[in-house]
Amino acid sequence: MLSTLSTRDPVSADPLISVVMPVRDEAAAILPLIAEIHRAFTMPDILAGGYEIIAVDDGSSDGSDRLLAAAALADPRLVAIAHDRGRGQSAAMTTGFRAARGRVIATLDADGQNDPADLARLIRRWMIEAGGPARGVMVAGHRRGRADGAWRKLVSRVANGIRSRVLQDGTPDSGCGLRVIARDDLLALPLFDHAHRFMPSLVTAAGGRVVSVEVTDRRRRGGRSKYRTLTRALQGIVDLAGVAWLQHRLRPLDPIGRALTMPALTMPALAMPVPGLSAGATGFAPRKPSAAADPATSRAAISSGDAAA
C-alpha cells in the first residue's frame, strides 16, 4: 500500500527533471540533503526547465516518513510517498519513477553520501550528451576517493571487477546512486528486485549508451548500510546471472528511444507487490504511463490517516 504525503506544485505542473530518492531510516540526513538539492539546482538552465524532488520512504522506523510529510507541506517542489512496509530499494525507486512527471529522471541516495552538486553536473552533462530531447543516454556517477572503510572498498572493487568482466558494460561503478536518464527510457527497462544495481548494464543491453562521470563520495550522514556483505554477495551472484541472461536474450534491434520491432517479453513478477509498480517488464519498447499510473490520479487517493502516522 502506498500513501502520498504531499500535494503537487500547481505552478510547476510539468517539470523537466524529477529527482528520485529512496529513503529508509535516514531521518538525520534527509532534510539537510533536500536543502542541498535546492541550492545545487539554482543553475538557470535547471530552474528554467523546472524540477521536483520525489522522496519515497520505504517503511522507515525512525520517523523519516513524518519528517518528509511535514517538509512537503512547506516545500512545493517536494513530493513525499511512503510504502506501508519495507519493500526494498528497487521497489522504492520504481515507485518514484512512476510518480515522476519530469521527462528526465535523476537519482541519488538519501544518506548524504552523494553530493547534489555532482547530480547537477550530471544533469548538465546529460543535456549535452543527449542533445536536448534526444534519448538513449544515461549519465552515471563514478565514485573516486570512496568514504567507506577499507573492507567495503575492497568488496566493492572486487564486485565491480567481476560484474564488469561478466556483463562487459564498460561501466566502472554500477553501484553509485547518481544517475540521469530520460524517464521513458528508464520505464522501458525491465524492473525487478535489485534492478537498481544493474541500471547501466540494462541500458547498454537495451541499445543505449552510458557515460561515466567522476563524482565525490562523502561520509554517510544518517542511517546505516542496508546490506550485509555476505548477504549482498550471495544475492549479487544470482542477480548477475539473471542480468547476463537478459543481455543475451533481450538484445534489441535498435537503441532505446527508437521504435523497436522486437516482441515484448515478460519478466517474473516482483516479489514485493506494490500498487503502481510494474509486475514485470513489457520489453524495451518505450511506453507512456497508463491512466492508472497517472500521478494526478494517485494524488486523489491521499490518506489523511497515513499522512499523520
Side-chain angles (χ1 to χ4, degrees), residues 220-295:
R220 188 186 303 274
R221 296 182 177 180
R224 56 185 177 82
S225 176
K226 310 303 183 296
Y227 307 100
R228 296 193 313 182
T229 302
L230 179 59
T231 301
R232 186 170 187 172
L234 293 175
Q235 291 175 338
I237 293 172
V238 176
D239 295 338
L240 186 62
V243 174
W245 179 86
L246 278 174
Q247 284 185 319
H248 176 69
R249 299 293 295 173
L250 299 181
R251 191 173 302 280
L253 302 180
D254 291 295
I256 50 178
R258 297 172 58 187
L260 305 183
T261 58
M262 173 180 239
L265 300 179
T266 302
M267 288 289 296
L270 283 169
M272 66 294 286
V274 180
L277 296 190
S278 171
T282 57
F284 287 125
R287 61 183 184 276
K288 294 185 179 298
S290 64
D294 185 353

Side-chain angles (χ1 to χ4, degrees), residues 43-233:
M43 299 176 181
D45 47 356
I46 294 180
L47 286 177
Y51 69 94
E52 65 179 355
I53 303 171
I54 299 179
V56 182
D57 184 84
D58 188 42
S60 292
S61 60
D62 69 344
S64 292
D65 56 340
R66 293 189 293 274
L67 282 176
L68 288 169
L73 293 175
D75 186 346
R77 294 188 187 271
L78 176 62
V79 177
I81 302 174
H83 287 172
D84 58 345
R85 58 182 174 84
R87 298 177 183 273
Q89 185 172 346
S90 286
M93 294 181 76
T94 302
T95 294
F97 299 157
R98 295 200 175 281
R101 297 170 301 162
R103 290 188 289 114
V104 182
I105 299 288
T107 68
L108 80 168
D109 295 334
D111 57 13
Q113 286 191 284
N114 298 150
D115 189 340
D118 284 332
L119 186 60
R121 286 197 302 111
L122 264 61
I123 291 171
R124 301 190 82 181
R125 178 65 178 271
W126 184 90
M127 292 176 177
I128 295 171
E129 294 288 342
R135 293 165 48 196
V137 179
M138 168 182 275
V139 177
H142 174 201
R143 292 167 291 183
R144 289 291 193 182
R146 294 284 299 274
D148 290 320
W151 174 248
R152 287 186 62 82
K153 288 181 183 178
L154 176 62
V155 171
S156 180
R157 187 177 299 116
V158 171
N160 268 313
I162 294 173
R163 178 201 50 75
S164 181
R165 176 162 297 191
V166 173
L167 301 181
Q168 298 182 349
D169 58 7
T171 304
D173 185 6
S174 68
C176 182
L178 293 167
R179 299 179 184 126
V180 181
I181 186 173
R183 179 179 182 270
D184 284 347
D185 282 346
L186 187 56
L187 292 180
L189 298 172
L191 300 175
F192 51 89
D193 197 14
H194 302 155
H196 67 279
R197 300 180 189 172
F198 298 94
M199 285 294 183
S201 301
L202 294 172
V203 168
T204 56
R209 180 166 59 93
V210 177
V211 178
S212 294
V213 176
E214 289 191 8
V215 298
T216 57
D217 189 53
R218 309 187 297 190
R219 292 285 182 184
R220 188 186 303 274
R221 296 182 177 180
R224 56 185 177 82
S225 176
K226 310 303 183 296
Y227 307 100
R228 296 193 313 182
T229 302
L230 179 59
T231 301
R232 186 170 187 172

